[in-house]
Amino acid sequence: TAGLKHIEWVAGLFEGEGCLTQKKNGNWVLKVKMTDSDVMWNLYVALGCRGHLDALRKYPSQADHHKPTQTWQTGKRDLINEICKELYPYMGNRRKAKFQEFFDWYSAKTK
Protein backbone atom coordinates (compact mmCIF):
# COMPACT_ATOMS: atom_id res chain seq x y z
CA THR A 1 0.00 0.00 0.00
CA ALA A 2 1.35 3.45 -0.91
CA GLY A 3 2.55 5.45 2.06
CA LEU A 4 2.50 2.51 4.47
CA LYS A 5 5.61 2.45 6.65
CA HIS A 6 7.47 -0.76 7.45
CA ILE A 7 9.44 -2.05 10.42
CA GLU A 8 12.70 -0.86 8.84
CA TRP A 9 11.31 2.69 8.85
CA VAL A 10 10.21 2.26 12.47
CA ALA A 11 13.71 1.06 13.34
CA GLY A 12 15.30 4.14 11.78
CA LEU A 13 12.93 6.42 13.65
CA PHE A 14 13.53 4.55 16.90
CA GLU A 15 17.31 4.64 16.41
CA GLY A 16 17.16 8.43 16.27
CA GLU A 17 14.26 9.32 18.56
CA GLY A 18 13.44 6.22 20.60
CA CYS A 19 14.22 5.21 24.13
CA LEU A 20 14.18 1.93 26.06
CA THR A 21 14.74 2.49 29.77
CA GLN A 22 14.37 0.67 33.03
CA LYS A 23 12.51 2.72 35.62
CA LYS A 24 13.42 2.91 39.32
CA ASN A 25 10.71 0.34 40.13
CA GLY A 26 12.46 -2.18 37.85
CA ASN A 27 9.88 -2.08 35.05
CA TRP A 28 10.82 -1.06 31.52
CA VAL A 29 9.30 1.47 29.13
CA LEU A 30 9.73 1.72 25.35
CA LYS A 31 8.94 5.16 23.91
CA VAL A 32 9.32 7.65 21.11
CA LYS A 33 8.65 11.34 21.69
CA MET A 34 8.64 14.08 19.06
CA THR A 35 6.83 17.14 17.75
CA ASP A 36 5.68 15.77 14.37
CA SER A 37 2.23 14.27 14.86
CA ASP A 38 2.04 12.89 11.30
CA VAL A 39 5.27 10.94 11.88
CA MET A 40 3.98 9.72 15.25
CA TRP A 41 0.74 8.52 13.65
CA ASN A 42 2.73 6.66 10.98
CA LEU A 43 4.79 5.05 13.76
CA TYR A 44 1.67 3.94 15.62
CA VAL A 45 0.12 2.46 12.46
CA ALA A 46 3.39 0.79 11.39
CA LEU A 47 3.52 -0.89 14.81
CA GLY A 48 0.06 -2.33 14.20
CA CYS A 49 -1.59 0.19 16.53
CA ARG A 50 0.14 -1.49 19.47
CA GLY A 51 1.14 0.58 22.47
CA HIS A 52 -0.32 3.96 23.39
CA LEU A 53 -0.18 7.18 21.37
CA ASP A 54 -0.80 10.34 23.42
CA ALA A 55 -2.20 13.56 21.99
CA LEU A 56 0.15 16.43 21.15
CA ARG A 57 0.85 18.17 24.42
CA LYS A 58 2.88 21.02 25.85
CA TYR A 59 4.12 20.39 29.36
CA PRO A 60 4.21 23.25 31.89
CA SER A 61 7.92 22.54 32.45
CA GLN A 62 8.71 23.16 28.77
CA ALA A 63 10.23 26.48 27.76
CA ASP A 64 7.90 28.82 25.85
CA HIS A 65 9.81 28.39 22.59
CA HIS A 66 9.45 24.58 22.66
CA LYS A 67 6.76 22.99 20.52
CA PRO A 68 4.19 20.53 21.92
CA THR A 69 5.31 16.91 21.75
CA GLN A 70 3.56 13.63 21.21
CA THR A 71 4.60 10.37 22.84
CA TRP A 72 4.12 6.77 21.77
CA GLN A 73 4.95 4.29 24.51
CA THR A 74 4.34 0.97 26.16
CA GLY A 75 5.27 -0.44 29.53
CA LYS A 76 3.83 -3.89 28.80
CA ARG A 77 6.80 -6.23 28.98
CA ASP A 78 5.39 -8.78 26.49
CA LEU A 79 4.78 -6.01 23.95
CA ILE A 80 8.21 -4.47 24.56
CA ASN A 81 9.71 -7.91 23.93
CA GLU A 82 7.73 -8.37 20.67
CA ILE A 83 8.62 -4.94 19.29
CA CYS A 84 12.29 -5.11 20.32
CA LYS A 85 12.61 -8.50 18.59
CA GLU A 86 11.18 -6.93 15.41
CA LEU A 87 13.51 -3.91 15.59
CA TYR A 88 16.66 -5.71 16.76
CA PRO A 89 18.08 -6.71 13.34
CA TYR A 90 18.06 -3.06 12.21
CA MET A 91 19.56 -1.45 15.31
CA GLY A 92 23.07 -0.11 15.82
CA ASN A 93 25.37 -1.57 18.48
CA ARG A 94 24.31 0.73 21.33
CA ARG A 95 20.61 -0.04 20.88
CA LYS A 96 21.26 -3.75 20.42
CA ALA A 97 23.14 -3.79 23.73
CA LYS A 98 20.21 -2.05 25.48
CA PHE A 99 17.72 -4.45 23.88
CA GLN A 100 19.86 -7.38 25.04
CA GLU A 101 19.79 -5.98 28.57
CA PHE A 102 15.98 -5.98 28.34
CA PHE A 103 15.88 -9.50 26.81
CA ASP A 104 18.01 -10.85 29.68
CA TRP A 105 15.72 -9.18 32.24
CA TYR A 106 12.61 -10.41 30.39
CA SER A 107 13.77 -14.05 30.18
CA ALA A 108 14.58 -14.04 33.92
CA LYS A 109 11.11 -12.58 34.68
CA THR A 110 9.18 -15.02 32.49
CA LYS A 111 10.86 -18.28 33.58
Side-chain angles (χ1 to χ4, degrees):
T1 314
L4 190 62
K5 307 297 185 208
H6 298 285
I7 199 66
E8 297 89 349
W9 178 85
V10 172
L13 186 67
F14 188 86
E15 187 76 60
E17 301 291 334
C19 172
L20 173 63
T21 53
Q22 191 170 23
K23 300 189 299 190
K24 286 186 175 112
N25 67 7
N27 293 329
W28 289 76
V29 65
L30 184 66
K31 74 167 64 171
V32 176
K33 186 175 187 176
M34 62 188 318
T35 59
D36 302 312
S37 61
D38 60 325
V39 175
M40 293 301 289
W41 180 254
N42 286 333
L43 169 70
Y44 182 62
V45 170
L47 287 171
C49 300
R50 296 173 295 172
H52 181 75
L53 183 62
D54 293 332
L56 262 178
R57 160 170 196 201
K58 186 160 174 115
Y59 293 88
S61 60
Q62 283 180 288
D64 288 344
H65 64 279
H66 288 170
K67 296 181 198 171
T69 56
Q70 192 166 17
T71 304
W72 170 89
Q73 66 183 344
T74 184
K76 294 179 179 173
R77 66 183 181 194
D78 292 343
L79 183 54
I80 294 171
N81 189 56
E82 275 177 36
I83 292 172
C84 286
K85 280 183 174 176
E86 293 166 14
L87 296 177
Y88 187 87
Y90 309 105
M91 294 289 102
N93 292 335
R94 186 170 64 88
R95 300 277 186 200
K96 280 183 174 177
K98 182 55 98 171
F99 284 14
Q100 193 57 58
E101 198 181 314
F102 170 80
F103 295 145
D104 294 345
W105 174 89
Y106 181 81
S107 66
K109 280 285 186 191
T110 55
K111 277 184 178 169

